[in-house]
Amino acid sequence: MMNWKRISRATMLCTTAAVALAGLVGSAHAEDKKFKIYLSLSYSGNAWQSEAANIVKALAATPPYDKQVELIEVISGTDPQAQISAYESMIEAGADGIVTFPISSTALNRVIKRGCEQGVKFFTYDATVTEPCAYNVSYITAGFGENSAQALVNELGGKGKIFLSRGVPGNSVDKRHTDGAMHIFKQYPGIEIAAEYYSYWDDRTTQQETAKALAAHPDVDGIWAQAGEYGAIQALQDAGTKLVPMTGENSNGLRLALANPDMQAKGLKGVSAGSPPAQSGYAFKLLMEILTGKRTLEATNIEYPLPWVPAASVKLCEGETFENGCNAFPDGKVPSSFVTEVFNPELLPELSLLSALEGKPTPGATIQPLPAEIVKAPNEPGINCQNCEPPADLYKLTKIQPTVSP
Amino acid sequence: MSVSEPKGAAFQASADLRRGGGMSRETTNAIIVFGLSILLILGSRFVSPALGSWSQVLTVLMLASFLIVLSFGQGLVILVGGLDLSIPAVITLGGVLATGWAGGGGEWYVLPAILAICGLVGAFNGFGVTVLKIPPFIMTMATSIILASAALGYTSGTPRGASPAAMTALMKTTWIGIPVVVYFVVLFVLAGWLLQSRTVFGRKLYAIGANDQAARVAGVAIGPVTTQAYVVSAICAGFVGMMLVGYANGATLRMGDNYLLPSIAAVVIGGSSILGGRGSFIGTVGGAVLLTTLGTVIAAIGLEQGWRTVIEGGIIVAALFFMREEFFARLRRPKRN
């Protein structure tokens, strides 16, 4: 019934004809096969996660990548098992590369190793894995915890009651931040931790948990917060008495508040640092440079620089991008929970607000090459390597010096 | 008087009320949970000297306001023998639409339209439960998944906009030193209690929950009335989404996640039967206040996260044990031996 020979011969003829014809037209790309790249998220639904994903989508749609990449997004939720099966499917589907926010630093190792053996390149952003064949692109090792804790201690003159607003219980990132912060706080006997609570890196949860802590300790002197920090400011405002020195991550709300003279007068001081969604874009561009042969790089841990914006350095942007050293957007342009560190004039000049909010490419932009050198991250057991030794100066301060002695 | 027939308890309770003598089980229950809340607030001074103050009471009422509005709707659904698991998704829907459509400007008239959309979601739940005969927890869970995906698609992950002015005014302003939302909650509780205990609609809900066959024979339109309970629940959840937006000045896609179990727990601790047919909104309000107070006190103790959750769960279990029908029956019945 089916004459396979004939069909295959016809197909071959057709293909040959098509290729020949294309060659005649002159638009022939023998390598016109698009790279199959997967974007694997664990959970979505907060500003940070969706901005990080939007950046990758925007870059994949920016010329010349728009002709070179087929990008497929998969959201697998908070269960490691679901992300393991997502990776499995991607490997089966012949992925060239997987850019991913891994839900666990250890649970995914086996499937990643299997993928590496099949030639798949794994690039993690922000969160990391300890499997050595993966490329980790993360700011985690850059010392958010210890630097922000020292900044808070400096503001408080080395003594006072503080709250710790942490992230997700049991998460390796939360643990690394808190360990770094505690390394500093423990040196100052005058610092008393009045309340410690988990806020799940979420504004609203932070606001409610901080409100509860304030009910018990209205005399708090400072707050050390991870992402969600804008909720802590709002809880202080709801209580209506005063603002206090605090640290937090990169929400536009915190940056505007730090630079606001009225809030400064009420006692708000501090620094905005923390996790940049821009890491995902850097990871994706590195992956593409390797795939397109522009860069040779063996699997390694790459450190993304820690954003560091004290109140005095907050500068409003006029337009849709970070230019002239600006690092926050005017009120009303973005929601207060918007994470501003989606841009990086050096690494990601292609991006604008449109990219971060909607995943659309900036009109007229083309992909610019990355700087040649990368910064290698130090070893951190359980974070980016197994059975390894951390450096002796793991918690060394890089952004700030103590102004009060313990 | 003996209460041996749980089915008859609701009618027994109303009979008590009509006679004006004796206290119904619901009333006793409500008094107990409120008493516990007050004891807890006063006793919490031992935990931290700042607790037990007027400002803590206001913090508790502010945080409890979300749960009170939510558990009114959940309470009606439980009353007719159902369960509404779509609450977190509808909270997110209300919040996301409020910031997306009405945020920033003063377009308060969009808010009722959003509540109407949430009501439609409730009608969809009711339709599935009463017409398609899908078990309530499966139907409402399915609705929840559909809505969560719709919200993710609508926002592409990042809800835009800010809080509508009307909601900011409700959640952030004070009048004579008391947050406006506290006055609102008092009015809401009064209206909710009237609707549940003093209207024909409320009576019908009790009748369906107690015995739907009997209610049908008595001429209650089971389908429409049950559906109305789901509609009210969804409207309440949508409104809580708006309240949260006013409170936190923005929406997130996970804003409703932490409210599902508390909304059920408040209803049950407040003395309602999880099987339907029995309960009072005043008891539920007490349950909501008790749970919230508990949260603030446990937060003040400064325990590890794990222990906090263990204690909260333990207290809920204990509360349920003591609120059981048998326990009350034993209290009321003089021992004869």
Side-chain angles (χ1 to χ4, degrees):
Chain A
M1 295 243 283
M2 284 247 187
N3 191 334
W4 284 116
K5 221 174 203 167
R6 186 175 295 175
I7 289 179
S8 64
R9 189 180 304 155
T11 317
M12 260 178 46
L13 271 172
C14 277
T15 319
T16 321
V19 169
L21 196 68
L24 281 175
V25 175
S27 64
H29 286 286
E31 73 285 3
D32 202 16
K33 182 182 121 348
K34 284 190 170 184
F35 291 112
K36 202 178 231 186
I37 312 274
Y38 283 89
L39 173 60
S40 164
L41 282 85
S42 61
Y43 57 94
S44 187
N46 63 21
W48 194 100
Q49 289 287 350
S50 44
E51 287 172 36
N54 284 343
I55 290 171
V56 176
K57 290 179 205 166
L59 289 172
T62 305
Y65 287 176
D66 58 343
K67 299 276 188 293
Q68 299 171 322
V69 177
E70 182 191 1
L71 184 77
I72 303 137
E73 183 189 27
V74 178
I75 301 173
S76 50
T78 50
D79 172 24
Q81 196 53 47
Q83 198 163 27
I84 290 172
S85 15
Y87 285 179
E88 294 277 4
S89 318
M90 294 168 194
I91 297 166
E92 294 312 319
D96 294 295
I98 296 177
V99 181
T100 178
F101 178 93
I103 190 66
S104 156
S105 59
T106 52
L108 307 158
N109 284 358
R110 185 174 303 184
V111 60
I112 291 177
K113 192 165 189 305
R114 208 175 70 76
C116 291
E117 284 161 4
Q118 308 242 356
V120 184
K121 299 225 173 306
F122 281 87
F123 269 78
T124 68
Y125 59 87
D126 189 59
T128 50
V129 294
T130 54
E131 169 55 50
C133 80
Y135 298 76
N136 288 313
V137 178
S138 176
Y139 83 109
I140 287 181
T141 51
F144 164 76
E146 50 273 29
N147 282 295
S148 59
Q150 186 65 59
L152 186 63
V153 168
N154 288 356
E155 295 287 9
L156 296 175
K159 58 181 188 296
K161 280 173 95 169
I162 60 168
F163 295 162
L164 300 190
S165 172
R166 299 183 56 175
V168 171
N171 183 287
S172 58
V173 180
D174 167 74
K175 185 174 179 309
R176 169 62 184 85
H177 290 342
T178 309
D179 289 349
M182 289 310 294
H183 172 79
I184 301 293
F185 291 140
K186 277 187 195 131
Q187 298 170 19
Y188 293 88
I191 295 281
E192 181 204 341
I193 293 169
E196 181 175 348
Y197 42 88
Y198 288 96
S199 304
Y200 293 80
W201 293 318
D202 169 79
D203 274 358
R204 190 185 42 78
T205 313
T206 308
Q207 190 176 348
Q208 293 183 335
E209 290 296 324
T210 307
K212 288 178 193 171
L214 278 171
H217 308 281
D219 55 343
V220 68
D221 299 303
I223 299 178
W224 179 82
Q226 296 180 27
E229 70 281 348
Y230 190 66
I233 297 181
Q234 294 196 83
L236 288 165
Q237 288 178 312
D238 290 346
T241 42
K242 55 170 185 185
L243 297 173
V244 297
M246 60 176 290
T247 65
E249 298 203 20
N250 305 313
S251 68
N252 205 58
L254 173 65
R255 291 201 176 169
L256 291 180
L258 285 174
N260 178 327
D262 297 346
M263 295 211 184
Q264 289 171 350
K266 282 188 185 150
L268 181 68
K269 298 180 186 133
V271 64
S272 159
S275 176
Q279 296 164 108
S280 67
Y282 185 46
F284 176 65
K285 276 178 77 174
L286 279 172
L287 167 66
M288 284 305 294
E289 290 196 351
I290 293 171
L291 287 178
T292 53
K294 294 192 171 59
R295 179 187 289 267
T296 45
L297 182 65
E298 288 306 305
T300 180
N301 296 322
I302 297 152
E303 187 171 279
Y304 191 96
L306 177 71
W308 188 259
V309 183
S313 317
V314 176
K315 188 175 168 201
L316 286 190
C317 297
E318 313 267 316
E320 307 268 303
T321 57
F322 275 8
E323 57 213 351
N324 312 326
C326 76
N327 47 29
F329 290 96
D331 204 9
K333 190 134 194 165
V334 292
S336 48
S337 60
F338 180 80
V339 188
T340 49
E341 285 289 336
V342 275
F343 306 107
N344 185 316
E346 281 174 14
L347 302 175
L348 303 165
E350 306 86 357
L351 298 177
S352 63
L353 267 183
L354 191 67
S355 335
L357 288 169
E358 295 177 24
K360 296 197 174 99
T362 310
T366 54
I367 297 289
Q368 303 300 312
L370 290 170
E373 67 280 3
I374 54 159
V375 180
K376 297 240 177 180
N379 279 344
E380 294 219 15
I383 301 263
N384 60 16
C385 56
Q386 304 142 311
N387 312 325
C388 49
E389 286 299 314
D393 60 353
L394 181 63
Y395 297 132
K396 68 174 185 295
L397 295 168
T398 50
K399 295 285 181 186
I400 191 162
Q401 287 309 312
T403 56
V404 278
S405 49
Chain B
M1 101 192 192
S2 85
V3 183
S4 51
E5 289 280 313
K7 282 274 193 290
F11 299 107
Q12 189 64 58
S14 54
D16 282 352
L17 287 170
R18 276 196 301 275
R19 275 207 303 274
M23 263 206 285
S24 78
R25 176 175 174 279
E26 277 83 2
T27 320
T28 340
N29 231 332
I31 289 171
I32 290 177
V33 279
F34 274 110
L36 280 177
S37 304
I38 292 164
L39 276 180
L40 200 58
I41 287 190
L42 294 176
S44 60
R45 280 186 180 269
F46 295 110
V47 175
S48 161
L51 290 178
S53 60
W54 177 236
S55 77
Q56 189 211 359
V57 173
L58 291 182
T59 302
V60 166
L61 286 176
M62 166 75 101
L63 291 174
S65 64
F66 310 116
L67 196 49
I68 289 171
V69 175
L70 265 190
S71 52
F72 173 64
Q74 181 72 279
L76 293 189
V77 172
I78 289 178
L79 191 58
V80 294
L83 195 60
D84 190 350
L85 302 186
S86 66
I87 277 182
V90 181
I91 290 177
T92 304
L93 179 75
V96 163
L97 293 183
T99 51
W101 292 357
E107 302 167 31
W108 62 268
Y109 49 83
V110 179
L111 301 180
I114 295 170
L115 289 181
I117 292 173
C118 294
L120 282 178
V121 172
F124 178 67
N125 278 332
F127 172 79
V129 169
T130 59
V131 178
L132 307 179
K133 301 283 186 242
I134 299 172
F137 70 97
I138 294 179
M139 182 64 208
T140 52
M141 180 61 86
T143 305
S144 166
I145 293 167
I146 295 169
L147 276 188
S149 312
L152 182 63
Y154 169 69
T155 57
S156 51
T158 323
R160 307 280 286 274
S163 167
M167 296 319 293
T168 310
L170 174 67
M171 300 308 296
K172 294 282 183 190
T173 47
T174 54
W175 189 59
I176 329 179
I178 294 175
V180 169
V181 67
V182 173
Y183 299 105
F184 165 78
V185 163
V186 169
L187 291 175
F188 181 89
V189 168
L190 191 66
W193 173 75
L194 284 173
L195 182 72
Q196 187 170 332
S197 303
R198 289 286 179 275
T199 62
V200 174
F201 172 64
R203 285 285 113 206
K204 285 179 178 171
L205 294 177
Y206 277 99
I208 294 172
N211 186 333
D212 58 346
Q213 298 301 335
R216 182 175 296 122
V217 172
V220 177
I222 307 270
V225 175
T226 305
T227 304
Q228 281 160 9
Y230 282 96
V231 169
V232 172
S233 175
I235 290 175
C236 287
F239 191 73
V240 168
M242 295 177 186
M243 287 167 74
L244 283 168
V245 161
Y247 175 73
N249 191 27
T252 64
L253 288 181
R254 304 161 66 85
M255 60 197 286
D257 285 10
N258 308 334
Y259 285 99
L260 180 58
L261 277 176
S263 78
I264 299 170
V267 172
V268 180
I269 288 177
S272 300
S273 162
I274 194 76
L275 302 171
R278 215 177 43 229
S280 82
F281 181 44
I282 302 296
T284 300
V285 173
V289 172
L290 181 64
L291 277 177
T292 313
T293 312
L294 195 63
T296 57
V297 174
I298 290 178
I301 299 173
L303 284 170
E304 291 257 326
Q305 185 76 13
W307 281 112
R308 268 190 225 181
T309 334
V310 166
I311 290 179
E312 279 185 26
I315 288 179
I316 290 176
V317 170
L320 293 185
F321 176 78
F322 289 118
M323 298 292 173
R324 279 181 322 172
E325 179 60 30
E326 295 79 11
F327 191 77
F328 277 84
R330 213 172 301 150
L331 276 185
R332 285 207 217 98
R333 210 178 304 154
K335 279 218 166 90
R336 282 178 302 218
N337 49 7

